[in-house]
Amino acid sequence: MTDDPLIDLLSQWPGRFRFGRLAVALRSPERLDEDVLVDAVLRGIAEDEDEQSVFDSLLQEGELEAAEYLLEHGPLPDRAGLSSRLQALADRRQELRDDLRDRRDALRKRAGDADLALPELDMAELERSCAVSWTRTLRLLGIAETALEKGLAVGRAALRARLAEREEQGAADPAWAESSRALIDAGLLRIAARQIDDGTRSTGPEQVPALPAWNPELSPAQLLEWHLDPVQRQRQVRYAHWVPADDSARELLEAYASLDDGGFGAAQRFTAAFNAYLHSDDFDRVRTEEITGGYLATVARAFADPEIERFRPVGNLDLFIGGPETREPEGLDAMPPYVAVGAALAAPTDRSPCAVLVLRDLLQLATLRTGRSTALVRLLGRQWPLATFVGRTPVALDERLGPDEATRWSTLRWILDLTGLGGIVVADALAFATGWDPELLHLFLQALAERQGRACGGERWLSRWREERQFRAAVEDTVLRPLGPSRVAHIAFWAALTAAPAGEEVTADELLAVAQLTADLVPDADVLTAAMAGLGRLRLTEQASAERVRLRRCGVLTFLGERAEQRLERALRDWAADSEAAASEDHGHAVRLWEARRHGLNSDYEEYLAVLEGATPAADLDARLERLARQTAEFSADEQGVAGTTDLVPMLRETIGLWQQAFPGVQVETGGPDAAVARISTRAAQALFYELLANAGEELASSETGRVSVHVEPSGDEWLVDVRDNGVGITYPPGREDLVFRAGRSTKGESRGDGLHRARDIAEAADGALLLVSRSDGHPIFKGAHFRLILAKG
């Protein structure tokens, strides 16, 4: 009871739940007054609230304890749906807990980059607060953020003073000094301090100066007039910090102003000025051609910075110069992404191959002394299609990112910077969420680009992607797609996530126990453990065999792990509904997926995989596979097809996962380093490993004790991949082991004998070799054939 009879009366009034916020407010009557009560009632009337709508809004706002109170005490309709509401509450609580951890990690990273000690965050207190009120939790986080910002301000001031001292001593060139300032502005104080102290130059987008901030109240036309009129330059002191950096920048602005007059001469002048501004030595040799609506020329060395040339190795960029009345280019739809200028041109509202540089952009560019080509690409990249930087497919993105994590991290930061999608914090969040799975990363990047410019986009969306039902479904589909329609493979995946969180090892016994506790009818143990080994085809799998599996710890798998038990129940129920047909379907799909690997260098390979994931009849699939086989038989490996770099470790893991589903009775042992980057394309390595493992699998398919060993080890500038089995070995006569590599020669019958011949051709085309080390008895356990693949390190 309180001292206010009105509050006491309302607290007992059953009708208070028609005004949901009033009911919630009355939970803490000691903090209430008349104004709060009136506001709660009026809002309920105005918004036509009821208990369900208030529950939904409280859930969205993160007021979880209040939402839980409504569930327990309010007369919510449809009490039969209580379990679904409780599940929604549990899901939201987990989402906010994940968001809290992401924000804490981001704060720690910012503090680490700034070489600052972040005030200790009491995670236990934060998680307790998160379970009650997200608003209150944000206030607690805000205290740490404020402390960090104060530390950053002090650190920035100190480093700017040190940099000024170096400049006064004459020890700093302009490019180095501007790079140091850019690092300080980005909050990377630790890197900036090292650069200032030892005079080195760091890498990454943060060391390139940003364009000066633009005041929306500033008129580009008036500022250009100030540049062109000497009298205005003397009078308008407020524009003084917009002085062009040098003569080439001044000429660029004057050449742009001359475009109002139109004509070939003005277009040629602007082309020359633009190229000179970018410090191109070829500006006087660039040709300008007249086309419909204007002129077409070239910007040389637009991607001159070595760190961004990976996105356009040629470096040149087409330049469209519109006439005075031209509103948009015509007939240039088939061109690669290009840049356009013209007084009447307007920047596109959506990403398109035509990126327009408006006057404001040129005025900002004119102030830069260094980093000009990168600043230009930043302006264009926000307008160009995302595929310009990430490729059209996940495979293209994977190749562009590079083979090792350091290269991938650097490339991702540049992609985000040049497309305007974010900085280091977003890159870190993406890397953790996707676990570097190119399919997932491609999906997340597309989602970021679609939401760019919205209030809920960028870093904010990344912390809340779990709230979007449609995107959650796309994420789950992307993760599971490599498993195809195999029901048993899906059961193995969900059982692994149910047995232990991603990042922890799950044994076959643990996985089987989880499945058996979930349903009365489960797949046979051998079938399920073979499917567990088949999880190796997932890019998010770190280890997979018939004995154990470990999935990579990442944000997506953490999210899926929260739903794993429910998904496992559903997968087992679907399998039990038609277990006999499912088993046949599972094995048939696994065999087709495995056999397709042989044709990785075939131009129709991707199309076949796409068809395989659909509902195509088995007869049509078999016909397509036969056509692929004929094309592959006529194909010879060449340098172009094998050029590239590949980490052999995940490639082998994925290949062995497929192989074990095609040959479930054969055990495999693997060993080697965590990474082994070789100079061979992904598709070539895929086809090569297929031939080696298929040879062993077919040899041991009828054996109950078949075993294969695949071991990778370094040897100088090369990688050695040894493949051994415990079969009967090569039966060719001693001294004639070379016959095993001859086309058309095989111990397995007619129409065979091309596999090892093709494998050796691929290895040699990659400047490697494939050897038969031993016909038999070369190892005490693996007494069969021993093949050694030699590949150059990447």
Side-chain angles (χ1 to χ4, degrees):
M1 301 294 288
T2 70
D3 295 333
D4 191 324
L6 175 61
I7 292 177
D8 291 339
L9 177 63
L10 289 174
S11 297
Q12 304 301 318
W13 176 44
R16 67 188 185 279
F17 290 102
R18 291 203 302 271
F19 306 95
R21 293 183 185 277
L22 172 63
V24 172
L26 286 168
R27 291 169 53 244
S28 304
E30 68 280 359
R31 296 199 295 267
L32 285 178
D33 57 33
E34 187 174 330
D35 291 339
V36 173
L37 291 173
V38 171
D39 179 68
V41 173
L42 291 179
R43 284 188 63 182
I45 295 173
E47 298 175 13
D48 193 23
E49 287 184 337
D50 59 19
E51 291 83 0
Q52 181 61 50
S53 65
V54 172
F55 172 78
D56 293 337
S57 62
L58 289 172
L59 207 62
Q60 185 64 30
E61 294 164 11
E63 298 299 328
L64 303 183
E65 191 175 80
E68 195 167 31
Y69 173 80
L70 279 185
L71 280 183
E72 292 177 358
H73 299 92
L76 281 168
D78 184 22
R79 301 300 293 184
L82 179 61
S83 61
S84 65
R85 297 188 186 99
L86 287 171
Q87 183 62 52
L89 185 64
D91 290 347
R92 182 63 173 144
R93 183 168 281 128
Q94 185 61 50
E95 287 169 4
L96 292 178
R97 190 179 295 120
D98 292 341
D99 194 355
L100 171 63
R101 290 170 181 164
D102 290 345
R103 289 170 183 261
R104 176 203 59 187
D105 293 343
L107 277 174
R108 286 178 174 173
K109 181 169 181 56
R110 287 183 64 201
D113 290 338
D115 205 15
L116 295 173
L118 184 69
E120 187 62 32
L121 292 173
D122 188 339
M123 277 304 293
E125 179 187 357
L126 285 170
E127 289 190 350
R128 283 195 297 272
S129 174
C130 183
V132 174
S133 168
W134 183 239
T135 304
R136 187 188 308 171
T137 307
L138 290 178
R139 283 199 295 269
L140 294 173
L141 283 172
I143 296 171
E145 289 176 352
T146 301
L148 177 59
E149 290 299 333
K150 289 180 179 177
L152 281 169
V154 173
R156 285 189 174 110
L159 284 179
R160 285 175 182 137
R162 284 163 61 182
L163 179 59
E165 290 177 7
R166 293 290 303 272
E167 289 183 293
E168 288 175 2
Q169 297 166 359
D173 68 84
W176 176 87
E178 290 196 16
S179 169
S180 299
R181 289 192 189 91
L183 290 170
I184 294 170
D185 292 341
L188 304 182
L189 306 189
R190 178 168 47 83
I191 299 174
R194 186 170 62 243
Q195 179 166 307
I196 292 171
D197 290 340
D198 59 23
T200 58
R201 184 79 174 268
S202 67
T203 60
E206 296 79 18
Q207 52 87 26
V208 180
L211 290 173
W214 184 267
N215 183 349
E217 298 177 0
L218 193 63
S219 165
Q222 290 178 0
L223 183 52
L224 179 62
E225 183 63 29
W226 177 80
H227 281 287
L228 301 176
D229 186 348
V231 176
Q232 286 283 340
R233 283 203 297 273
Q234 293 176 3
R235 292 178 178 173
Q236 300 291 342
V237 180
R238 59 183 179 139
Y239 295 145
H241 61 285
W242 289 96
V243 172
D246 56 24
D247 291 341
S248 69
R250 181 173 291 104
E251 170 59 18
L252 177 66
L253 296 177
E254 292 177 358
Y256 179 84
S258 71
L259 294 180
D260 285 341
D261 300 328
F264 180 82
Q268 196 165 34
R269 178 187 178 186
F270 181 82
T271 300
F274 205 178
N275 280 275
Y277 166 81
L278 294 173
H279 305 302
S280 170
D281 298 330
D282 301 324
F283 66 87
D284 56 345
R285 295 197 294 272
V286 174
R287 298 183 61 184
T288 305
E289 304 285 349
E290 186 171 4
I291 63 172
T292 302
Y295 303 87
L296 192 62
T298 301
V299 181
R301 301 185 63 210
F303 288 74
D305 189 322
E307 292 196 63
I308 67 171
E309 66 181 1
R310 71 190 83 181
F311 300 110
R312 199 152 184 172
V314 174
N316 293 343
L317 186 64
D318 290 313
L319 168 65
F320 172 79
I321 304 168
E325 306 298 327
T326 302
R327 306 190 70 83
E328 62 181 24
E330 296 182 20
L332 303 182
D333 296 341
M335 286 178 56
Y338 64 97
V339 57
V341 295
L345 295 179
T349 55
D350 297 318
R351 290 179 176 266
S352 76
C354 174
V356 176
L357 282 183
V358 297
L359 176 56
R360 190 186 77 174
D361 299 331
L362 293 170
L363 291 167
Q364 290 175 290
L365 286 170
T367 64
L368 298 181
R369 293 185 179 277
T370 61
R372 291 177 171 182
S373 61
T374 300
L376 171 64
V377 178
R378 279 173 173 161
L379 287 168
L380 306 179
R382 286 153 172 76
Q383 302 178 56
W384 281 338
L386 184 64
T388 307
F389 299 95
V390 307
R392 296 188 180 280
T393 65
V395 172
L397 172 61
D398 195 29
E399 293 175 353
R400 186 160 292 182
L401 286 171
D404 58 87
E405 189 161 332
T407 304
R408 297 169 88 80
W409 171 245
S410 173
T411 305
L412 178 60
R413 283 164 57 203
W414 275 109
I415 287 173
L416 293 170
D417 179 83
L418 297 177
T419 56
L421 295 180
I424 283 184
V425 173
V426 173
D428 194 55
L430 279 176
F432 174 70
T434 65
W436 291 114
D437 180 342
E439 296 273 354
L440 281 173
L441 187 54
H442 200 270
L443 178 69
F444 271 81
L445 286 169
Q446 285 180 315
L448 277 174
E450 290 169 3
R451 292 158 180 79
Q452 191 173 20
R454 300 185 197 172
C456 61
E459 185 180 342
R460 177 178 172 82
W461 176 81
L462 267 179
S463 68
R464 306 183 67 174
W465 64 266
R466 305 168 188 84
E467 299 173 16
E468 292 190 13
R469 184 187 301 272
Q470 189 172 359
F471 187 76
R472 292 199 314 254
V475 165
E476 185 173 324
D477 176 70
T478 301
V479 171
L480 296 174
R481 192 179 303 133
L483 299 180
S486 169
R487 292 189 176 104
V488 177
H490 285 226
I491 291 170
F493 174 80
W494 293 117
L497 274 184
T498 302
E504 296 183 14
E505 186 177 272
V506 176
T507 66
D509 289 341
E510 291 170 335
L511 187 141
L512 290 168
V514 164
Q516 290 163 356
L517 286 172
T518 305
D520 294 330
L521 183 62
V522 300
D524 182 75
D526 291 339
V527 174
L528 197 51
T529 53
M532 185 173 80
L535 297 181
R537 72 178 93 154
L538 299 177
R539 294 296 293 262
L540 293 177
T541 301
E542 291 185 342
Q543 174 189 5
S545 68
E547 289 81 33
R548 55 186 52 84
V549 63
R550 183 171 63 246
L551 301 174
R552 184 175 304 165
R553 181 179 175 272
C554 66
V556 162
L557 289 188
T558 299
F559 164 73
L560 293 180
E562 297 160 12
R563 292 153 174 75
E565 190 171 352
Q566 293 177 332
R567 297 293 196 275
L568 177 59
E569 290 177 3
R570 184 191 305 170
L572 284 167
R573 189 167 57 248
D574 292 344
W575 174 85
D578 192 6
S579 58
E580 185 175 340
S584 174
E585 170 196 309
D586 286 338
H587 187 69
H589 183 78
V591 170
R592 288 191 178 92
L593 267 179
W594 164 247
E595 291 180 349
R597 306 288 282 189
R598 183 181 196 184
H599 312 292
L601 289 172
N602 195 309
S603 59
D604 292 338
Y605 173 72
E606 288 288 348
E607 180 186 348
Y608 176 74
L609 287 187
V611 172
L612 188 57
E613 298 306 329
T616 307
D620 292 346
L621 289 173
D622 291 338
R624 285 176 176 271
L625 191 59
E626 287 180 13
R627 185 164 65 250
L628 270 181
R630 289 195 298 271
Q631 293 171 352
T632 299
E634 298 169 358
F635 174 82
S636 59
D638 55 27
E639 293 184 6
Q640 183 176 359
V642 303
T645 55
T646 301
D647 188 343
L648 303 179
V649 174
M651 168 58 65
L652 269 170
R653 187 189 305 129
E654 180 184 357
T655 303
I656 289 171
L658 286 169
W659 178 82
Q660 284 207 286
Q661 284 203 289
F663 302 100
V666 184
Q667 295 183 15
V668 63
E669 299 176 14
T670 60
D674 293 333
V677 180
R679 247 191 350 258
I680 187 171
S681 70
T682 301
R683 295 290 173 73
Q686 175 181 296
L688 213 166
F689 290 140
Y690 167 87
E691 299 296 357
L692 288 173
L693 286 168
N695 190 65
E698 291 174 0
E699 172 70 23
L700 301 171
S702 59
S703 170
E704 295 182 357
T705 58
R707 295 175 66 182
V708 175
S709 168
V710 183
H711 190 83
V712 182
E713 67 178 51
S715 177
D717 295 332
E718 298 173 325
W719 290 107
L720 307 183
V721 184
D722 290 300
V723 180
R724 300 179 176 93
D725 62 57
N726 66 342
V728 298
I730 301 298
T731 57
Y732 288 121
R736 297 309 313 275
E737 292 87 351
D738 61 295
L739 292 175
V740 77
F741 294 112
R742 287 195 183 182
R745 297 299 295 266
S746 173
T747 59
K748 296 185 176 69
E750 297 182 4
S751 302
R752 303 297 302 273
D754 289 334
L756 291 173
H757 171 75
R758 182 180 300 106
R760 188 176 64 174
D761 283 352
I762 294 172
E764 291 177 350
D767 198 24
L770 179 60
L771 310 174
L772 175 62
V773 178
S774 173
R775 297 169 59 252
S776 61
D777 297 322
H779 190 276
I781 297 175
F782 299 97
K783 296 178 177 291
H786 174 189
F787 289 94
R788 171 169 290 170
L789 170 65
I790 304 174
L791 293 172
K793 288 184 177 179

